[in-house]
Each structure stands twice: as C-alpha cells, then as structure tokens.
Amino acid sequence: MQLKTRSETFIEEICDIPGGEGIKRCIQCGTCTASCPNADKMDHTPAELIAMARAGMRREVLSSNAMWYCLSCYLCTVRCPRGIKQTGLMHAFESLAMRDGVSYAGSFTPTMYRSFNHFACALGSMPEFGFMTWFYMLSNPLRAWKMIPIALELFRHGRLSIKARRLTPEGTKQLRAILEKAETLGGVT
Amino acid sequence: MRYYTYFPGCSASEGGAKAYNWSAKAVSRVLDVDLAELEDWNCCGSTPSGSVDELGAYCMATRNLALAEKRGLEMVTPCSACYVIFNRTNTYLNGYPPFKAKVNEALAAGNLAYRGTVKVRHLLDILTTDIGYDAIKSRVKKPLAGLKVAPYYGCQVVRPRFGFDDPEYPQSLDKLVLSLGAEPTNFPLKARCCGGSLVLSEEDVALDLIHRLLQSASSNGAECLITVCPLCQTNLDIYQSRVNKKFKTSYRLPVLFFTQLMGIAFGLEEDAIGLRNCIVPIEEVLAKYV
Ligand code: SF4
Ligand code: SF4
C-alpha cells in the first residue's frame, strides 16, 4: 500500500467536495482576485488561496481569514476562465475550518455564521430578532448597544417580530431526525 | 392562471422583509399567478449554515425540495439567496450520485426522498419571462411617467449562472421598470454586492460597499432604488443612515422591492404592499408622480 502525502490528501479532500474538483484546472491567471470586492481585506487573495491549497498547505488555508471576508457575490465564479467554483471553495474551506476548530479568530463572521446555523437548525426557521440579539451578545455586548437604534427603527416600521415562525410539531420532528442522521454521515464527502 | 409552489424564505415570511411577501402575493394575484406556499417548509439551508455544516445545510434545502416534489410544480422564491441555495443543491445532487445517495440517506430518517426534479426559479424570472412585460404593462393603472428608478439586481439573482439574465449586465429589471411607465436610470453597479450578511459581523466592510451603490445610483439621477432580495433591501434601506454618518453624505433614497413598485403602478392599496415598512419613506417621491 502506498502512503499518500499530506498534499495529495488535501487536494483529494477538496476534489471530493461537490463542485470542488475544478481546483486542479487553475492556471493562476488572477481573474478571481481582480474581481473580488474584498480581496484587499484578505491575508491571502482568492488566487493565492487556491495555489496554497494545491500546494497542500492545509493548515495555512484553513486558518486564513480570506474565506471569512467572502461575500458570496460569485463574481470570481462567473469570470474564472477555467470554470472553477471559487465561491463554493470558500464555503468548503469555512466548513472544514469549523470542523477542525481552526477558524480565524480576528473576525466576528465565524461566530455570526455559527449563531445563525444554531437557530436555523434548532427551529427550522430564522428568527431574526433572536438570532441578532444572540450573536451580538456572543460577539460583543457593546455592539449590541450600538444596534439598539436600528432595532427601534425596525420595530417602528413593523419589521421586527419578536415571535418566530415555527414549523408544525411533525415538521420539527422530521427535520430534527434528518439533521441528526446527517450528522452521523461525516460531511459532504 | 399559472400555478407554482411558493417558497417565501425566512426573511420575507416572518422577518424584516414581510413587505416583499405581501407585495409579491398582491401583484401575483393581479397577474393571475397562483402562489401556493409550500407547507411546513424550513429555512433554505442558507449561506451561513453551509459554511458551518455543509451536509446539514444541503439536507435542509433538500427537505424543502422533497416536499415540493410531491406537488410536482415549479417552485418560485422571491429571495435571491434561497434561489441560489436551491439551484446549487439541485445541481450537485443531480451531478454527483454518491452525494445524492448520502443526502437521501439522511432524508430517509424523516421518511422523505428526493428524486431531483423540482425546478426552482426566482420571482423576477417568473414575472418577466412567464408573464411578460406586455401583460405587466396592460395592468398598469398609474403609469409612473418620469420617475427615475435605479434597478438594483445585486449578486445572487444573476450569479452564478443559473438563469435567465446576464450575470454581469442584466436587463430584466430595467425592462420591467420601463413596462411600468417609469424610467430606469443608468446604474453601473447594478449587479455588485451590497455586503450581504457581513453587515452584521463586519459592518465597516459592508458600509463601504453600500456607500458605493448609493453613490452610483444617486449620481445617475435615481430617485429611488428597487431590489429583488430581502437582504439587499435591508442593507440599502436600514443602513443608509449609517452610511450617511460614516461618509458625511445625505442620501435619502427610498429602497423598494420591485413588487412594491409594481403594486404602486397597479394602483394597489398602500397597506397591501407594505409601503410603510420602508425606513426611508417613499411618499415624498411618489407625490410628484402618482
Ligand atoms: S480565475 Fe480561475 S484560473 Fe484564474 S486564478 Fe482564479 S481560480 Fe485560477
Ligand atoms: S464570491 Fe467571495 S471570493 Fe469570489 S469575488 Fe465575491 S467576495 Fe470574492
């Protein structure tokens, strides 16, 4: 049996993700980077991140801040001359970083995503008020304070529901059973 | 009458974008479009969830698709984010059989299965393609002649390429504005990002992007913007005052859902299309034209 090197395993891991296999076709033309509205905030540009992933730099890629600044605007994806789905790769890197517990700590985005997911899974629906309060308390209570004027404005215009939409009890049970099962299946690959 | 399964999404159903849901239903009624809400739907699976737990998020999306498959109709959503999530899910499920098997294994725990047959479309696509500009024009009671509208597409209604309009230089919303008798302004940034959900975690990054959009719309003479996505509307409307504060500007551009503008032109009641939900009020601008 031949042992796989680390680099092979990371690239294989990415290729196994639906939409991830294109990464092998990258020609480093830089179109994705030039298109990205947030490239200047990233410690590694989108094209760099792809080069690093191909070089097997798993830890460096997953602890990068780049994907947490991705806005999912899909400009890179529609412009890439090699049909690579970078936006999807960004999501995949985020999800792997979360699973490995190495996600970048300098931005509130991972916490925000986690709070969002927490509510979406638990209730099956997104209670915006509860989610935002929860997220601001977790990330920085001072910021919660700064959000009060916005919350009041929303409330005044009938746009803040305290009550969340709920699924029927059967629907809730069904969704929970599906998500519990999914958890045992070990990720998308 | 045309029949669809309707997926409003969290934000338009009970969240901050209720006016989108109301106005979508109200104008659909006028246009003989039957939107029957998917029963007991759950969150689409969402971009944030996909970044935390990819498989779980795909399973959430697929539960909805499996429920919709039982009805056998096309599914329409007014939310650009839900639209992308469902289309991506369909593409991957149908393109990767082992992945589909895995998702179906999870679904089986809830006595569901998905074959992969539900076509998911954006409300803008339905109204402009299936119904068409002429039919829309024929229902206009109050032509908005002279009103200068910046048509804002944002990202996910046109990107990635699931659809019905050009990913970088879309036209459908421009034509819709014309069919309502109003004037679409030139708007170079019409398909650029509003900051999305990063407005919550990285407010400065988002304010910068929102600022650029408002500047682009206003310098081209727009009196209001229309959007096709709950999050875009939220960012441009609610955060406008913060942009003004940060950049020492004084924008006061109302931001409507495109269905609200249609409702105004169709002569619908203000409350039926939720005009009062706009933070930057539209009344002043409308008084000049309607
Ligand atoms: S645009 Fe595509 S081919 Fe060019 S560097 Fe980016 S990923 Fe590689
Ligand atoms: S999808 Fe993400 S990585 Fe791609 S251009 Fe947009 S912000 Fe940049």
Side-chain angles (χ1 to χ4, degrees), chain A residues 128-146:
Chain A
E128 286 171 355
F129 180 69
F131 151 64
M132 285 194 253
T133 314
W134 179 254
F135 161 61
Y136 282 111
M137 288 325 236
L138 272 185
S139 59
N140 182 347
L142 253 183
R143 296 175 74 233
W145 183 251
K146 271 181 61 190

Side-chain angles (χ1 to χ4, degrees), chain B residues 15-29:
Chain B
K18 289 193 205 73
Y20 198 10
N21 194 18
W22 299 333
S23 56
K25 287 182 177 159
V27 300
S28 296
R29 234 171 277 129

